[in-house]
Amino acid sequence: MSISIGVPKETVSGETRVAVVPKVAAKLARLGADLQIQQGAGEASRIPDQDFGDNVTITSREADVFGADVVLAVNPPAPSKIAKMRSGAVLISFVQAHNNPKVVEAMQKAGVTCFAMELIPRITRAQSMDALSSQAAAAGYKCALIAAESLPRFLPMLTTAAGTIRPAKVLVIGAGVAGLQAIATANRLGAKVFAYDVRTDTKEQVESLGAEFLIAQGVTAEGEGGYARELTDDEKQKQQDMLADNMTDADAVITTASVPGKPAPKIISKAMVDGMKAGSVLVDLGASGGGNCELTEPDKTVTYGSVSIIGPSNVPALLAEHASEMYAQNLANLLSLMLTEAEDQSAAQRGTKMHDLAIDWDDAVIDGAVLTRDGEPASDAARNALSGEQ
């Protein structure tokens, strides 16, 4: 028997990505997988059903997709869909358990084993599976373009017969994957870029991309796993004072700060926006977590005085083709850790190798990414979601 893999059509509003693209489908087929892809799953990513070729079965029946041994998705399926999964089946997707306790409850009732892509440990061996990073790269690139498009000004310096136009100043707050990509993109577009991160060890990376690194004296907050820890009240005030001074001269501000499993940290106050120059823009990548700016509204552009505050909540979906390609490969790389080659003479004759699901629970990546195991909470994220804690 070959392992069956189901790929549902994403139903979250505004979601354009798909969990498996034709190139990855072909790789999984060569492993002997039986792929069941829901009809129209790739349409929002501009992938028609026929592009998957003969490697998959396109089905309109949800029972075929959710009845598979493994279900691959971008967002967690609705509880009613998870209820259709069989006990012991595996779900791999982003979950964000703290925002989706009913989804975790549904996994518990159905006896589903879930691996949450946001829990992939940030270790060297897991880099090829790190979907947070791959999707953050897409978000950082796109948010710089959003800022450029929204500004009533050029980004680069231009020397024209009508005079010289000075380059726009862009301030990027947060130098994680998204922030670094935003810095690189804004710099390539010709802006003068400044960047700030509470983790002072990012200074070298920022400067290597052509930006000037800003420092809030006495504030450093390196945390575990490459993330920043939460700041004390005194540190927050020092940070805000420094940023307020630099925001007064910025044409565009891009915020990318986040704390895993918690609401986005509030960095930009209303008073700080008051100090921004007329016609400037603020692009808040923390919008889906409540925003880094207290004026941000998810999926809206707020005009405050003469400043535009843009709060896109799913930026990678604006780059559906490449974001899907990267995410699908992340999934395939993680899934490969769970497969073991099985004996099947007929498969060998067809040029494929049959694989069985064999999860090594002692593997550091597997252990770090598991959310539930046979329905039982296997991580703090799942336990907190079921108990109502944040």
Side-chain angles (χ1 to χ4, degrees):
M1 287 265 314
S2 61
I3 181 175
S4 58
I5 299 175
V7 181
K9 183 176 182 178
E10 298 293 323
T11 57
V12 172
S13 177
E15 184 57 78
T16 60
R17 293 169 291 175
V18 62
V20 170
V21 298
K23 183 179 179 180
V24 170
K27 289 182 180 179
L28 295 174
R30 286 195 294 272
L31 295 177
D34 172 22
L35 272 79
Q36 302 283 330
I37 297 184
Q38 189 171 356
Q39 189 174 23
E43 284 181 354
S45 298
R46 303 296 190 269
I47 304 173
D49 291 338
Q50 60 266 28
D51 279 17
F52 287 100
D54 298 328
N55 297 311
V56 310
T57 299
I58 302 296
T59 178
S60 59
R61 298 180 66 245
E62 285 189 341
D64 295 335
V65 173
F66 290 103
D69 299 318
V70 178
V71 174
L72 303 179
V74 179
N75 302 290
S80 61
K81 312 296 184 184
I82 293 174
K84 297 179 181 181
M85 295 179 67
R86 61 176 179 77
S87 180
V90 172
L91 168 66
I92 309 178
S93 73
F94 281 116
V95 180
Q96 305 296 351
H98 61 290
N99 288 331
N100 294 295
K102 291 184 179 179
V103 167
V104 181
E105 289 175 6
M107 293 175 189
Q108 188 177 45
K109 291 178 182 178
V112 167
T113 294
C114 175
F115 296 93
M117 293 303 286
E118 71 272 12
L119 296 182
I120 295 287
R122 288 201 158 180
I123 57 178
T124 301
R125 182 167 156 264
Q127 285 181 346
S128 66
M129 311 161 205
D130 187 354
L132 279 179
S133 291
S134 73
Q135 302 306 289
Y141 166 81
K142 188 64 175 181
C143 72
L145 299 184
I146 292 172
E149 182 181 16
S150 304
L151 271 175
R153 302 161 191 157
F154 290 114
L155 251 64
M157 181 179 76
L158 294 179
T159 301
T160 74
T164 299
I165 296 173
R166 290 180 297 177
K169 294 183 178 179
V170 176
L171 170 59
V172 179
I173 300 174
V177 175
L180 292 173
Q181 193 61 247
I183 291 166
T185 304
N187 185 60
R188 286 194 292 265
L189 290 171
K192 185 171 179 56
V193 187
F194 300 82
Y196 169 73
D197 196 292
V198 292
R199 300 164 301 159
T200 54
D201 59 3
T202 62
K203 180 176 185 290
E204 185 176 342
Q205 290 174 288
V206 166
E207 292 177 342
S208 72
L209 294 173
E212 180 180 329
F213 189 77
L214 303 176
I215 295 176
Q217 294 298 325
V219 180
T220 179
E222 282 78 6
E224 295 182 2
Y227 294 101
R229 65 168 173 80
E230 290 192 79
L231 301 180
T232 65
D233 289 341
D234 181 59
E235 288 172 329
K236 287 178 182 177
Q237 188 59 54
K238 290 179 179 178
Q239 173 185 264
Q240 286 190 313
D241 290 344
M242 184 278 292
L243 290 175
D245 288 342
N246 285 277
M247 285 174 61
T248 59
D249 199 33
D251 296 283
V253 176
I254 297 171
T255 67
T256 68
S258 64
V259 178
K262 295 185 178 181
K266 287 288 187 288
I267 298 174
I268 309 299
S269 66
K270 180 179 175 181
M272 294 166 73
V273 177
D274 282 329
M276 294 178 68
K277 67 165 74 170
S280 57
V281 301
L282 188 155
V283 182
D284 190 343
L285 277 188
S288 61
N292 295 141
C293 174
E294 65 178 347
L295 296 172
T296 298
E297 294 185 28
D299 294 315
K300 292 184 179 180
T301 296
V302 175
T303 301
Y304 179 75
S306 58
V307 177
S308 297
I309 301 150
I310 305 167
S313 63
N314 187 0
V315 181
L318 300 176
L319 293 167
E321 180 180 340
H322 285 153
S324 294
E325 287 180 6
M326 292 188 293
Y327 181 68
Q329 192 59 58
N330 293 146
L331 289 177
N333 292 337
L334 177 60
L335 185 59
S336 68
L337 296 182
M338 308 177 195
L339 301 178
T340 185
E341 193 170 331
E343 294 292 334
D344 190 303
Q345 189 63 36
S346 63
Q349 292 173 351
R350 295 194 303 271
T352 61
K353 293 182 179 181
M354 301 300 290
H355 285 71
D356 292 329
L357 198 62
I359 301 174
D360 179 5
W361 295 105
D362 293 325
D363 186 293
V365 178
I366 297 295
D367 181 61
V370 66
L371 183 72
T372 61
R373 182 175 178 179
D374 295 325
E376 294 305 312
S379 66
D380 289 340
R383 285 184 281 270
N384 291 342
L386 291 172
S387 67
E389 296 180 17
Q390 290 292 322

